[in-house]
């Protein structure tokens, strides 16, 4: 008969991470403009090995899902201008020139904060690039809503430092 460990059956105090305690760093975009950031997600493909009369499954390729971001669009410094400067590294619409991945891929950092502002967790998003950017909408009927920019960011992979 197994013996129960008291640490597994009795309550242990813990402090959960909270969604509103984060700072995201993107080169060229002020951190205070970043309103929301989707969490990191990884998917593991499977490879099926067909052997005699059984199937065996092993892990295939890993795929890091895109991250959705929402930014405030302040008047100064312009959030739209900051995002467009990054977009122009991907593709310059005036000249039609595409950029090298060395120019437009960036490493992003999401620091998860504790209740006193200490960094309790850090994600580094490697090789991030803009897949889509939506600069919001303008509406005469909505006089109290702040203008937002939504972006979808693709990446190569992520690292959880701590």
């Amino acid at each position: 008969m197994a013996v129960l460990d008291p640490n597994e059956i009795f309550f242990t105090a813990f402090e959960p991470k909270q969604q509103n305690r984060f700072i995201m760093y993107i080169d060229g975009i002020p951190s205070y403009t970043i309103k929301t950031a989707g969490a990191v997600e990884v998917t593991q493909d499977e490879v099926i090995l067909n052997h005699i009369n059984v199937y065996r499954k092993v892990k295939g390729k890993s795929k890091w899902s895109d991250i959705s971001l929402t930014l405030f669009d302040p008047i100064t410094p312009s959030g739209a201008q900051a995002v467009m400067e990054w977009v122009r590294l991907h593709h310059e619409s005036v000249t039609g020139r595409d950029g090298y991945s060395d120019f437009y891929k960036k490493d992003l950092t999401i620091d998860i904060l504790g209740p006193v502002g200490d960094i309790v967790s850090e994600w580094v998003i490697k090789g991030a690039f803009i897949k889509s950017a939506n600069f919001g909408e303008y509406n005469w009927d909505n006089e109290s809503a702040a203008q937002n920019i939504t972006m979808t960011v693709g990446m190569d992979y992520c690292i959880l430092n701590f």
Side-chain angles (χ1 to χ4, degrees):
M1 186 163 111
V3 177
L4 295 175
D5 181 5
N7 293 326
E8 293 179 7
I9 60 174
F10 294 117
F11 176 76
T12 303
F14 66 96
E15 181 73 33
K17 296 175 185 174
Q18 295 197 4
Q19 291 182 352
N20 66 332
R21 294 183 187 154
F22 76 97
I23 298 175
M24 187 168 193
Y25 299 99
I26 303 173
D27 183 35
I29 297 176
S31 292
Y32 61 84
T33 64
I34 301 170
K35 181 178 177 181
T36 66
V40 171
E41 180 183 345
V42 64
T43 305
Q44 309 285 357
D45 286 343
E46 70 179 7
V47 176
I48 297 176
L49 306 173
N50 186 358
H51 183 70
I52 306 174
N53 63 346
V54 296
Y55 290 115
R56 183 164 181 251
K57 295 180 182 179
V58 295
K59 188 197 90 58
K61 291 184 179 183
S62 300
K63 179 181 178 192
W64 295 90
S65 298
D66 300 339
I67 291 180
S68 298
L69 302 174
T70 303
L71 286 70
F72 291 112
D73 188 6
I75 296 170
T76 53
S78 170
Q81 189 65 37
V83 171
M84 275 307 295
E85 286 179 18
W86 190 9
V87 168
R88 285 186 196 109
L89 296 175
H90 297 65
H91 175 80
E92 178 57 60
S93 56
V94 175
T95 63
R97 176 194 64 83
D98 281 344
Y100 287 103
S101 63
D102 256 6
F103 298 155
Y104 63 80
K105 282 193 168 185
K106 297 183 178 193
D107 292 347
L108 315 181
T109 304
I110 303 174
D111 286 341
I112 312 304
L113 306 176
V116 295
D118 54 327
I119 300 172
V120 297
S121 188
E122 180 179 71
W123 283 100
V124 178
I125 301 162
K126 305 294 279 184
F129 62 98
I130 296 176
K131 291 184 74 173
S132 68
N134 181 331
F135 295 92
E137 71 176 15
Y138 301 99
N139 185 343
W140 287 106
D141 291 334
N142 200 351
E143 64 229 24
S144 61
Q147 184 70 354
N148 291 321
I149 300 168
T150 56
M151 294 174 22
T152 301
V153 175
M155 77 210 52
D156 292 333
Y157 62 96
C158 298
I159 301 169
L160 179 61
N161 283 333
F162 52 91

